[in-house]
Amino acid sequence: QVQLVESGGGLVQAGGSLRLACVASGSIFSINAMGWYRQAPGMQRGLVVTITHGGTTNYGDSVKGRFTLSWDNAKSTVYLQMNSLKPEDTAVYYCMANAGRGEEEYVYWGQGTQVTVSS
């Protein structure tokens, strides 16, 4: 199993920046990909960005050019640098890890961290 702990959320004014961090523990050797999703009130959880173990990233259209994901393997941590934040970025941000192979492949989620962008 993989455990994920997020940090770094908070309240920021529009145009500001925040950096989220997600530390993985447990069976980290089995992780294939990590990333972030977000969920605003009344909305479905949606993609922010994912990164594979090989370094391939996939950004959601609404955050391209503003958000940057990095993966520090030595610390088993992914960082999400969020710049030029907009009120529509307000959501609970969830860290995700895909781990395992075949029938033993699972998706793990962190507990979520609130990001609020004021106008």
Side-chain angles (χ1 to χ4, degrees):
Q1 287 197 350
V2 175
Q3 295 79 42
L4 304 171
V5 178
E6 303 112 330
S7 62
L11 174 65
V12 65
Q13 288 189 332
S17 299
L18 280 176
R19 190 174 82 152
L20 306 183
C22 173
V23 180
S25 61
S27 301
I28 57 174
F29 59 89
S30 67
I31 293 176
N32 305 308
M34 295 188 70
W36 293 89
Y37 284 71
R38 66 186 182 186
Q39 187 168 19
M43 303 291 286
Q44 289 188 334
R45 193 172 297 188
L47 171 70
V48 178
V49 58
T50 59
I51 184 169
T52 68
H53 206 273
T56 301
T57 54
N58 179 32
Y59 286 90
D61 288 340
S62 62
V63 305
K64 286 179 181 177
R66 300 187 299 121
F67 291 11
T68 303
L69 180 71
S70 59
W71 189 349
D72 185 334
N73 266 317
K75 297 181 179 179
S76 300
T77 302
V78 290
Y79 301 96
L80 181 64
Q81 179 65 43
M82 304 185 294
N83 298 328
S84 302
L85 282 161
K86 305 174 182 179
E88 51 264 43
D89 294 317
T90 296
V92 178
Y93 284 68
Y94 294 93
C95 182
M96 179 280 300
N98 175 290
R101 293 288 186 271
E103 293 182 355
E104 298 299 315
E105 183 174 355
Y106 300 104
V107 176
Y108 299 91
W109 297 95
Q111 81 284 357
T113 186
Q114 177 70 46
V115 172
T116 303
V117 184
S118 63
S119 56

